[in-house]
Amino acid sequence: MPSPSPSTSPPPSRLWRDRSFRRLWAGQTASQFGEHTAVVVLPLVAVVTLGAEAGQLGALRAASQAPMLLLSLLVGAWVDRWRTRTVMVAADAGRAVVLGAVAVAAFTGRLDLVSLAVAAVVVGTLSVFFDVAYQASAVRLVARDELVRANSALEGSRSAAQTGGPALGGVLVSLLSAPVAAASGAVFFAMSFLSVRGIRRAESVPRRAPGGSGVWSRVRDGWRFVVGHAALRAVCVASAAFQLAFSAATTVYLLFLPQDLSLSGTGVGLVLAAVGPGALVGSVLAARLPRRFGYGRVLVTAAVVGDGVWLCVPALHGSPAVTVPVLCGVGLVFGAGGQLVNVTVMAVRQTVTPDGMQARVAATITCVGMGATPLGSLLGGLLAEVWGTRPALAVAAVGMLVSPVVMAVSPLGRLGRALPPGSGGSGGGE
């Protein structure tokens, strides 16, 4: 796949005149807000309403993240054979129903940790389907020379939702009620359902070879392709290192903010929301900086700055008037750095991957990277119980810096101003 050059890149308006992409982007944005609202609503309900302890909170978050580890590879093999629109619509409908059921259980006073865990597992499973499908859908619907712009828009929405959703969830739990907070996620998924359902363009689904091949054979093909490609292998290792440490840090963070810093639900929401504007800035910069300074230099620098800023969090003391502005600054820097890394890595991955393997490669990287998050959540809860929140948060923050080190010593750190040559075509099919 040839890499787009500054002289041949389409004007920005070309992508946004594409009705199918607009519907994909709008649906993905709504879905991501629903997903990330639920990610924080359920733990906050467990802590604030049900009095969950650190170990219970870690177990709840691990349950919601387990599908990424257990199912990503299989989902990638299946999605490569399906219309991504069908997958996304079904995932949206299922998640809306599940969160609606959580809202009803809360209204009737029957909500407990077991029902929250079950809901978290189901929502997490369907989110794996949606997230793998939308990444493959972008490649099928968007021209190759527009992929960087498309990814910048999609990843901008995802990163904004990662903080805007939790912020909204925190505010709703604090100011209104748990049923309203859960219902808000269901509304977002319903909006995504309607938007994605309106995509009418036929997808270029990779052709199946005569007789086809078994799902495990296709999983192995995707795994071998990733392991055999130096850049993709480095992406997996760096992603796993980051997600393990970040998931541990997030689990402790959700305890640290209300317990150690005495922040209200609204204060927690504001702090979490600060990553959103930073992510939007990072999304804009991701379309420009790599071609100017080099993909490798941008990747490593953004990861070091964005992850390193977490080191100051465990040292914070004082009233919310002091800590909230500082934490918002941390969120801005982290959001910008993280978004630069996300968009740049996705551009590299999609460029070097054949069309017929896009979903499987995305799922393999998700399995290795995001699959580490359940372990991180359990580790964060355990460290907080044994050492306390401040030491646990400090250890997790140091661990986040392993990821940029991995990228710096890998082929990713040596990438120049042009993306590496791609495999092209629809290879790696059945």
Side-chain angles (χ1 to χ4, degrees):
M1 185 187 301
S3 60
S5 64
S7 60
T8 60
S9 294
S13 59
R14 177 181 170 187
L15 182 66
W16 296 106
R17 289 198 300 266
D18 186 334
R19 183 174 180 272
S20 293
F21 175 74
R22 292 200 310 270
R23 285 193 169 274
L24 172 63
W25 173 78
Q28 181 255 5
T29 300
S31 177
Q32 292 296 311
F33 268 93
E35 177 180 338
H36 292 291
T37 296
V39 161
V40 167
V41 163
L42 300 185
L44 281 181
V45 170
V47 173
V48 176
T49 304
L50 302 179
E53 299 177 352
Q56 293 173 317
L57 179 62
L60 177 64
R61 295 192 73 244
S64 69
Q65 296 158 344
M68 289 184 285
L69 174 63
L70 301 177
L71 299 177
S72 292
L73 293 175
L74 291 174
V75 170
W78 289 326
V79 170
D80 269 334
R81 283 186 158 186
W82 295 345
R83 287 188 66 195
T84 56
R85 172 185 174 275
T86 302
V87 177
M88 290 185 287
V89 166
D92 282 332
R95 289 182 293 181
V97 170
V98 170
L99 288 185
V102 170
V104 170
F107 271 123
T108 58
R110 298 178 180 177
L111 189 63
D112 56 25
L113 285 174
V114 174
S115 61
L116 277 175
V118 171
V121 169
V122 176
V123 170
T125 298
L126 295 175
S127 293
V128 171
F129 276 90
F130 187 96
D131 290 347
V132 171
Y134 92 72
Q135 295 180 53
S137 181
V139 179
R140 297 181 188 178
L141 295 178
V142 176
R144 292 179 183 273
D145 61 353
E146 294 177 324
L147 272 176
V148 172
R149 294 187 188 278
N151 286 332
S152 182
L154 292 170
E155 286 300 290
S157 296
R158 185 182 67 84
S159 293
Q162 281 183 319
T163 51
L168 176 62
V171 170
L172 290 177
V173 170
S174 176
L175 300 182
L176 299 176
S177 65
V180 174
S184 68
V187 171
F188 279 120
F189 291 133
M191 292 168 59
S192 177
F193 173 90
L194 294 174
S195 182
V196 174
R197 191 170 180 269
I199 296 175
R200 293 290 179 254
R201 182 182 300 168
E203 293 183 27
S204 56
V205 181
R207 291 178 299 175
R208 306 183 189 183
S213 59
V215 62
W216 287 111
S217 176
R218 298 197 305 278
V219 167
R220 285 195 300 270
D221 288 342
W223 180 265
R224 288 169 181 166
F225 182 80
V226 171
V227 172
H229 196 289
L232 295 180
R233 189 168 61 244
V235 169
C236 278
V237 176
S239 178
F242 171 79
Q243 295 297 342
L244 177 70
F246 181 62
S247 183
T250 301
T251 298
V252 182
Y253 200 49
L254 290 173
L255 295 167
F256 179 73
L257 295 178
Q259 294 181 2
D260 291 67
L261 299 184
S262 302
L263 298 190
S264 65
T266 302
V268 172
L270 289 173
V271 168
L272 295 176
V275 184
L280 295 178
V281 171
S283 182
V284 173
L285 295 177
R288 296 172 172 82
L289 294 187
R291 292 176 184 172
R292 182 173 180 181
F293 298 105
Y295 284 83
R297 183 178 298 177
V298 169
L299 267 176
V300 175
T301 302
V304 168
V305 174
D307 297 347
V309 74
W310 271 77
L311 291 172
C312 72
V313 174
L316 287 177
H317 292 81
S319 69
V322 174
T323 57
V324 168
V326 174
L327 290 170
C328 286
V330 170
L332 287 170
V333 175
F334 175 71
Q339 183 67 354
L340 272 169
V341 173
N342 290 339
V343 174
T344 305
V345 165
M346 183 171 286
V348 173
R349 174 179 66 75
Q350 291 181 335
T351 299
V352 302
T353 302
D355 289 355
M357 274 195 172
Q358 288 287 343
R360 277 173 286 177
V361 169
T364 300
I365 293 173
T366 296
C367 177
V368 176
M370 298 301 292
T373 58
L375 300 177
S377 294
L378 291 172
L379 178 62
L382 177 63
L383 292 179
E385 282 192 337
V386 175
W387 292 346
T389 54
R390 290 185 187 275
L393 196 53
V395 170
V398 171
M400 289 168 63
L401 291 174
V402 173
S403 178
V405 171
V406 171
M407 290 190 287
V409 301
S410 76
L412 293 174
R414 297 189 292 272
L415 291 176
R417 297 179 182 180
L419 287 168
S423 301
S426 57
E430 308 310 320

